[in-house]
């Protein structure tokens, strides 16, 4: 296991930021930790990375206990924070050089690592430029290079693509996937984009400092997410028919949406009311539905 957390607790006076949570992250896994702002994600990450002290519980990272080997753990992890921690007044090259030096990477070793990051993240035209002159997407690429410069075993991504354009988001994930496949990099992700969480190997949803649900995306969708029929024609007739049967109905501008108990129900309704089904689609439940069902909150809106 790359991360092992048991009964972790952290409070600020009367606020239980992390309230007895436990989970494990396997080597090479893409693991998502989901929750609205204030749910306890950042507190958990700060404890894992040694920034915060826990109140109680056990935390092991890369085989080391956080209480006795915090410095060893820090050398094996890379973190991309929500907000950049780079120096805006320095060039990209100097930012990466000084961060590498903190990990004991100098001379030819730094040159080799920089060449790899430059190729991986397409930094060639950026190295001499001041960080302050770069776009948001370019800065995020530098942040990722900074987090990977020492070749960590664990990469922590704290909402890494929030506010980025689609092209840069794709680039970020291409780099992460490449590192996972080629080096077995383990990734702990927090995100507000459910399509990113849907690609995870395992997901833990935390709410008010507690684990509210966990499992693979497939398991969570099967357990919590509903399927839907969208009617684009015969909307009034469909609404009346399903209302009598006690189904949840939502009217939007262009369609009427019926929440199903299972996709298999569609064939039964098609046989009973075929006249309703000349313009419709059936949609499988997704991770947005899962999060809403589990927490009663909308992660995207949060």
């Amino acid at each position: 296991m790359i991360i092992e957390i048991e009964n972790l607790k952290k409070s600020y006076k009367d606020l239980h930021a992390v309230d007895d949570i436990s989970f494990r992250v396997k080597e090479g896994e893409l693991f998502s930790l989901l929750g609205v702002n204030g749910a306890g994600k950042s507190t958990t990450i700060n404890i894992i990375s040694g920034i915060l002290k826990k109140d109680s519980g056990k935390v092991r990272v890369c085989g080391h206990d956080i209480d006795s080997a915090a410095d060893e753990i820090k050398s094996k992890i890379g973190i991309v924070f929500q907000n950049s921690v780079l120096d805006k007044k320095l060039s990209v090259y100097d930012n990466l050089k000084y961060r590498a030096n903190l990990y004991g990477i100098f001379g030819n070793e730094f040159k080799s690592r920089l060449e790899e990051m430059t190729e991986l993240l397409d930094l060639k035209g950026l190295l001499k430029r001041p960080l302050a002159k770069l776009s948001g997407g370019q800065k995020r690429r530098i942040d990722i290079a900074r987090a990977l410069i020492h070749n960590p075993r664990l990469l922590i991504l704290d909402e890494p693509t929030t506010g980025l354009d689609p092209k840069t988001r794709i680039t970020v994930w291409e780099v992460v996937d490449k590192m996972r496949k080629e080096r077995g990099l383990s990734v702990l992700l927090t995100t507000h984009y459910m399509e990113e969480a849907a690609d995870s190997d395992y997901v833990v949803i935390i709410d008010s400092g507690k684990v509210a649900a966990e499992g693979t995306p497939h398991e969570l969708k099967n357990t919590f997410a509903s399927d839907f029929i969208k009617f684009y024609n015969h909307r009034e007739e469909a609404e009346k028919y399903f209302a009598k049967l006690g189904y949840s109905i939502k009217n939007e501008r262009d369609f009427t949406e019926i929440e199903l108990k299972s996709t298999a129900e569609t064939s039964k309704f098609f046989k009973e009311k075929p006249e309703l089904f000349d313009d419709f689609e059936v949609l499988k439940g997704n991770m947005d539905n899962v999060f809403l069902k589990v927490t009663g909150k909308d992660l995207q809106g949060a």
Side-chain angles (χ1 to χ4, degrees), residues 136-254:
Q138 291 169 332
K139 290 177 183 175
R140 185 50 95 200
R141 280 153 52 198
I142 309 306
D143 274 316
I144 293 171
R146 185 263 311 156
L148 293 174
I149 195 74
H150 61 297
N151 197 22
R153 289 180 59 193
L154 170 65
L155 178 64
I156 298 175
L157 300 174
D158 193 6
E159 298 181 21
T161 59
T162 298
L164 297 184
D165 61 274
K167 182 179 179 181
T168 305
R169 286 177 63 192
I170 291 172
T171 299
V172 167
W173 281 111
E174 286 177 344
V175 170
V176 171
D177 290 342
K178 181 179 175 68
M179 296 293 284
R180 288 183 63 216
K181 291 175 182 177
E182 294 182 356
R183 306 204 175 174
L185 180 70
S186 306
V187 180
L188 173 60
L189 169 72
T190 76
T191 181
H192 279 176
Y193 294 106
M194 288 294 95
E195 68 269 24
E196 294 179 345
D199 291 331
S200 301
D201 297 300
Y202 202 80
V203 176
V204 166
I205 298 174
I206 59 174
D207 192 30
S208 300
K210 293 181 178 291
V211 174
E214 62 179 296
T216 66
H218 180 71
E219 290 169 345
L220 289 172
K221 284 187 282 188
N222 280 348
T223 302
F224 297 103
S226 300
D227 297 335
F228 302 87
I229 306 177
K230 285 186 177 181
F231 289 97
Y232 297 95
N233 288 337
H234 309 295
R235 293 175 56 186
E236 290 186 9
E237 297 95 319
E239 181 177 352
K240 291 177 182 178
Y241 172 70
F242 285 98
K244 287 181 180 179
L245 298 175
Y247 283 81
S248 176
I249 299 167
K250 182 169 69 172
N251 281 308
E252 298 289 350
R253 179 177 178 179
D254 297 321

Side-chain angles (χ1 to χ4, degrees), residues 46-58:
N46 287 338
I47 292 172
I48 291 171
S49 57
I51 296 172
L52 274 179
K53 293 288 186 180
K54 59 184 174 61
D55 292 340
S56 62
K58 294 182 179 180

